[in-house]
Amino acid sequence: MSAVRLLVLGVTRRHQPTHGYAVRRELLSWRADTWTNVQPGSIYHAIKQLTQEGKLRTLGTEGGGRGPSRAVFELTEDGEREFFERLDAALTSVDMEELGAGIAFMDALPRAQVIAKLREQRTRSHAVRNDLLAMTADYPGRHEPPHFPDLLELWSGVFDNLTGWTSGVLERLERGEYRLADDR
């Protein structure tokens, strides 16, 4: 799954009708390039691909002020469907980029759905942590490259931290923090 696609679909959905430069500007204002692999080229590539796939519809062009005119687009029904499918998957992901993109748009879903998805994500994170720790006995060579026990402890610690972080977000959601789709 591509975090870039979810980010482009989500920003487009939030600001439609919009153009590529506005999507790029929004994502860069979020500093998304620091927590995902999204780059200006990947944004425009995703827009082009989503348009070719019928997920975005071009509505025409608008003057670019100082620059060339820009294509204006919006999500199609297929684009809306893909956005929600990717959002659901991202909120259960143990991949940091995907999860980050999901968190960025969790307000598009009802509270109960976000809570259920993040509980699933927390369970998955905890399971990955335990699986990594369980492998340590199979790799006793701590002092020999590639130092598997140290690597397994490093990664299990990352997933332990992710589990704790998710628990914190869940506590805030359960207290009614954040404005979600069913709060409007």
Side-chain angles (χ1 to χ4, degrees), residues 9-76:
L9 287 166
V11 169
T12 301
R13 183 178 183 273
R14 191 169 279 167
H15 298 288
Q16 61 188 335
T18 192
H19 51 81
Y21 180 73
V23 172
R24 175 180 176 255
R25 187 178 60 230
E26 181 73 8
L27 290 173
L28 292 179
S29 78
W30 294 1
R31 307 225 28 209
D33 57 322
T34 63
W35 48 274
T36 69
N37 63 4
V38 69
Q39 298 296 322
S42 62
I43 295 167
Y44 291 114
H45 176 74
I47 291 169
K48 181 179 178 183
Q49 189 173 22
L50 288 163
T51 303
Q52 288 173 346
E53 293 171 9
K55 309 294 173 73
L56 297 178
R57 171 181 28 256
T58 304
L59 300 175
T61 59
E62 68 177 25
R66 296 183 216 161
S69 50
R70 300 180 273 238
V72 177
F73 51 89
E74 66 183 2
L75 264 65
T76 63

Side-chain angles (χ1 to χ4, degrees), residues 9 14 20 34 42 72 90 111 113 117 121 141 144 154 164:
L9 287 166
R14 191 169 279 167
T34 63
S42 62
V72 177
R111 185 172 306 277
Q113 186 175 350
K117 293 295 177 181
Q121 187 279 332
E144 300 162 15
L154 168 68

Side-chain angles (χ1 to χ4, degrees), residues 76-128:
T76 63
E77 285 184 32
D78 284 346
E80 185 86 1
R81 189 171 18 264
E82 181 173 333
F83 168 74
F84 283 109
E85 288 169 0
R86 286 186 178 273
L87 180 54
D88 270 355
L91 288 172
T92 62
S93 180
V94 295
D95 178 278
M96 300 296 258
E97 287 188 30
E98 297 298 331
L99 179 58
I103 293 296
F105 296 108
M106 70 180 177
D107 64 326
L109 297 173
R111 185 172 306 277
Q113 186 175 350
V114 174
I115 288 171
K117 293 295 177 181
L118 288 178
R119 283 181 180 155
E120 183 180 340
Q121 187 279 332
R122 181 177 61 187
T123 299
R124 291 178 70 199
S125 295
H126 190 70
V128 170

